[in-house]
Amino acid sequence: MLIALHHIGQYFLLLNRIFKKPENFKLYWRQTLSEMVSLGLGSLGLIAIISFFMGAVVTLQTASNIDSPLIPDYAIGFATRQSFILELAPTMMCLILAGKIGSNIASEIGTMRITEQIDAFEIMGVNSASYLILPKIIAALLIVPIIIIYSMFLGVLGGAVVASYSDFSSMDKYLLGIRWNFTMFSIVYALIKTLFFAFIITSIPSFFGYYVRGGSQEIGKAATKSVVYSSIVILIVNYILTELLLM
Amino acid sequence: MIEIKNITKSFGQTKVLDDISNCFKQGEMNLIIGASGSGKSVLIKCIVGLHEVDFGNIEFNGRDFTKMSFMQRKEIRSEIGMLFQASALFNSLTVEENILFPLQMYTKMSNEEMLDRVNFCLKRVNLINVNQKYPAELSGGMQKRVGIARAIALNPKYLFCDEPNSGLDPRTGIVIDNLIMELTKEFQMTTIVVTHDMNSVMETGENIIFLHQGKKWWEGNNIEILKTDNKELCDFVYASKIMQKFKNQ
Ligand SMILES: Nc1ncnc2c1ncn2[C@@H]1O[C@H](COP(=O)(O)OP(=O)(O)OP(=O)(O)O)[C@@H](O)[C@H]1O
Ligand SMILES: [Mg+2]
């Protein structure tokens, strides 16, 4: 318990160091751009495949579980849209990104720690916490929402493909369901959650990587821990935000 | 000149450095030797401020480092070059970008001036045609040289090297040692080298301090070290058969 509190305190102290004024904007901006490319492009393929098939499966499941004549056919499209936009895209995809991006960040920064690269930055008068972590956080805040919108789109598309090729629904009815009772707020809501998650999946793994001590074994442990903890924090924050935003 | 006074440093309950005072001279090779785990790396990391000391003072030409604010320290740090035990090159940057980094951080040079400086430093450590390579594509000895080139990029007054020749074959090790010695004389730097390699001690030891159990156990030069009758130092110096043979002759 005490150790947990110690870690949480250390995490916030680190955040405090990260959000200091950058020494050299040009270098930071260059770093942010390259992080955007590596965080963003690196995840597009995975997210595309998962979203498309999840959309297809959600549509199939909904269709095969609705057998009451009282429920209109367009409910299938509606259910796909709602589940994707509200939860599957922001929460599930961020959990997946936590696994992919998180372990990456923790091992990258952890390696820099044990090979003394972080010390080398400090010697050169660079605030290493800020230089290494801030660009990652900013890049994620900019790029993860785009990935999530892309995931929403592909999920709905996956459902549409199923709807048009199977016999329990038609494209028209699916599209009607997709548009039925649509409010812009659900997208805004999803993106607000996404921003929180983007912060979590970059800052927590950075924290575990930054404080690695010892050898390469420790890096593996830090990577695992960072995925576990960022996933748990995402789930908790998701619950809190859902309470707050939908009430 | 760097003067340290009564440096003490503990990690938790273990005292790693215990009341160490010494004066490191300008334009000379100052060696810190000692067995593995004796606190050599911790000592130089304390001197450059990567670890905070628990007690004691560190003066860079009379300027007390331990009492400085972050900004004042940054000014001193721009006068420090450091070669790390594992080279610590930034592995996502090319050799050229590695050496450019401190220049971009601290100077207002134009791009051409910076590139000139990079090429000068690389040439000074006898490396050519490696500008666009990544550290992982270089051999250990070449990485050390890039590390040295990066350390001297800003024309430092103080050069710190943590085991510059560990992991290298004896000949390359000597080449690196001599390079550091030449640079020290050429630019009149205050150079502090951590080592546990007797070869380098004999080749370059102008001022040597020997750490044992966290204390400064002995000091002298590479001639005096052979005549010492200090028991712990003898155990260190004459650990190998070849050195014992040498002693008996
Ligand atoms: N950050 C740290 N936290 C806790 N203990 C540390 C830390 N850094 C070093 N130590 C301890 O301090 C002691 C001295 O370590 P140091 O790295 O200075 O040894 P060294 O003389 O450089 O050895 P080597 O020749 O193997 O590099 C060791 O016992 C080590 O466990
Ligand atoms: Mg060491």
Side-chain angles (χ1 to χ4, degrees):
Chain A
M1 186 65 196
L2 265 177
I3 294 180
L5 281 179
H6 173 77
H7 278 308
I8 294 171
Q10 217 179 11
Y11 172 74
F12 283 103
L13 284 178
L14 180 66
L15 287 186
N16 186 34
R17 280 190 59 201
I18 294 172
F19 290 100
K20 289 266 159 65
K21 190 171 158 287
E23 293 92 356
N24 185 326
F25 272 101
K26 216 174 94 202
L27 284 182
Y28 273 65
W29 182 238
R30 195 178 72 187
Q31 198 74 357
T32 306
L33 288 180
S34 83
E35 293 293 346
M36 276 168 74
V37 171
S38 69
L39 297 182
L41 289 185
S43 312
L44 283 184
L46 181 71
I47 293 293
I49 293 172
I50 295 176
S51 305
F52 185 85
F53 282 98
M54 289 263 273
V57 169
V58 168
T59 306
L60 266 181
Q61 287 279 19
T62 318
S64 71
N65 280 299
I66 293 178
D67 44 14
S68 159
L70 291 177
I71 302 176
D73 276 354
Y74 64 77
I76 298 170
F78 175 71
T80 306
R81 184 198 83 203
Q82 287 301 78
S83 47
F84 236 89
I85 292 185
L86 294 180
E87 288 302 326
L88 289 178
T91 313
M92 276 295 290
M93 296 307 143
C94 283
L95 282 172
I96 289 163
L97 288 178
K100 185 169 185 299
I101 298 180
S103 55
N104 233 320
I105 291 181
S107 42
E108 182 190 331
I109 297 186
T111 307
M112 300 187 89
R113 166 63 75 190
I114 63 165
T115 56
E116 299 178 311
Q117 291 178 51
I118 290 184
D119 286 341
F121 278 121
E122 291 288 326
I123 281 293
M124 294 177 197
V126 179
N127 175 349
S128 61
S130 173
Y131 180 75
L132 292 175
I133 302 173
L134 188 59
K136 290 192 199 300
I137 293 180
I138 305 237
L141 289 176
L142 293 174
I143 208 89
V144 175
I146 297 175
I147 296 180
I148 297 307
I149 290 179
Y150 162 85
S151 155
M152 290 171 184
F153 177 75
L154 282 165
V156 170
L157 183 72
V161 171
V162 168
S164 62
Y165 281 101
S166 54
D167 45 7
F168 49 72
S169 179
S170 72
M171 196 61 177
D172 289 347
K173 283 187 182 140
Y174 181 80
L175 288 180
L176 177 66
I178 294 291
R179 288 194 306 260
W180 189 69
N181 209 358
F182 178 75
T183 55
M184 206 52 202
F185 177 71
S186 49
I187 304 257
V188 172
Y189 159 83
L191 291 182
I192 292 175
K193 292 212 290 193
T194 302
L195 289 178
F196 277 86
F197 299 158
F199 184 80
I200 292 166
I201 60 180
T202 41
S203 64
I204 291 184
S206 301
F207 165 75
F208 281 106
Y210 196 78
Y211 288 110
V212 165
R213 287 269 174 275
S216 41
Q217 249 180 341
E218 299 300 317
I219 296 179
K221 281 191 206 152
T224 313
K225 267 198 228 161
S226 66
V227 175
V228 172
Y229 284 100
S230 35
S231 304
I232 293 173
V233 174
I234 285 180
L235 292 173
I236 295 172
V237 168
N238 184 34
Y239 175 73
I240 297 172
L241 285 177
T242 311
E243 283 271 344
L244 288 178
L245 290 169
L246 291 191
M247 283 307 113
Chain B
M1 190 180 80
I2 300 173
E3 206 171 352
I4 57 174
K5 292 175 189 156
N6 314 102
I7 297 280
T8 303
K9 171 78 187 170
S10 310
F11 288 109
Q13 295 299 319
T14 44
K15 208 173 217 180
V16 179
L17 302 176
D18 188 2
D19 198 26
I20 296 183
S21 304
N22 195 51
C23 184
F24 301 100
K25 298 193 185 78
Q26 186 180 353
E28 295 185 15
M29 295 286 280
N30 301 281
L31 267 52
I32 301 174
I33 62 173
S36 198
S38 56
K40 305 180 297 289
S41 297
V42 172
L43 178 58
I44 66 168
K45 284 186 181 173
C46 282
I47 298 176
V48 298
L50 287 171
H51 291 313
E52 291 298 327
V53 295
D54 299 334
F55 187 78
N57 300 82
I58 299 155
E59 289 178 7
F60 287 80
N61 288 341
R63 296 167 296 176
D64 192 344
F65 193 63
T66 43
K67 294 206 176 68
M68 285 182 179
S69 70
F70 179 79
M71 285 317 285
Q72 288 168 313
R73 280 188 177 196
K74 202 170 158 178
E75 201 182 308
I76 297 229
R77 283 200 172 150
S78 68
E79 301 171 359
I80 292 179
M82 184 154 179
L83 174 65
F84 287 86
Q85 197 160 352
S87 295
L89 300 177
F90 305 133
N91 49 20
S92 60
L93 303 181
T94 61
V95 167
E96 184 171 289
E97 289 164 338
N98 260 284
I99 304 171
L100 277 174
F101 195 92
L103 297 171
Q104 290 169 332
M105 218 59 214
Y106 280 112
T107 68
K108 298 253 180 301
M109 289 184 194
S110 71
N111 273 342
E112 282 102 68
E113 285 172 317
M114 283 198 249
L115 282 177
D116 280 350
R117 181 74 194 155
V118 169
N119 287 326
F120 170 82
C121 293
L122 281 174
K123 208 167 142 210
R124 194 62 202 78
V125 297
N126 303 321
L127 282 177
I128 37 166
N129 292 332
V130 294
N131 292 42
Q132 301 310 326
K133 288 211 162 90
Y134 284 91
E137 298 170 309
L138 303 178
S139 73
M142 286 159 97
Q143 289 181 13
K144 293 264 154 134
R145 282 192 239 185
V146 177
I148 295 175
R150 186 178 68 180
I152 60 170
L154 287 170
N155 243 327
K157 290 189 187 148
Y158 314 99
L159 182 65
F160 294 82
C161 304
D162 195 351
E163 299 194 14
N165 51 15
S166 68
L168 300 179
D169 66 272
R171 220 165 117 189
T172 315
I174 289 172
V175 170
I176 298 279
D177 282 340
N178 289 338
L179 177 62
I180 294 171
M181 184 128 168
E182 274 168 43
L183 293 169
T184 302
K185 303 290 171 203
E186 189 175 327
F187 302 116
Q188 282 298 301
M189 296 185 285
T190 305
T191 301
I192 302 184
V193 178
V194 164
T195 184
H196 46 204
D197 181 72
M198 274 318 288
N199 246 335
S200 354
V201 173
M202 300 319 298
E203 291 275 331
T204 62
E206 293 178 291
N207 305 294
I208 305 169
I209 63 172
F210 172 63
L211 295 190
H212 183 68
Q213 292 180 346
K215 293 199 170 65
K216 182 167 106 176
W217 209 258
W218 182 89
E219 73 177 298
N221 63 26
N222 54 359
I223 300 164
E224 290 159 357
I225 199 169
L226 293 176
K227 300 181 190 140
T228 178
D229 46 14
N230 185 309
K231 182 176 173 308
E232 285 76 18
L233 181 57
C234 284
D235 287 348
F236 179 84
V237 173
Y238 300 108
S240 70
K241 288 211 175 79
I242 177 108
M243 286 301 287
Q244 282 163 14
K245 216 163 148 187
F246 176 79
K247 187 186 185 187
N248 294 335
Q249 276 168 6

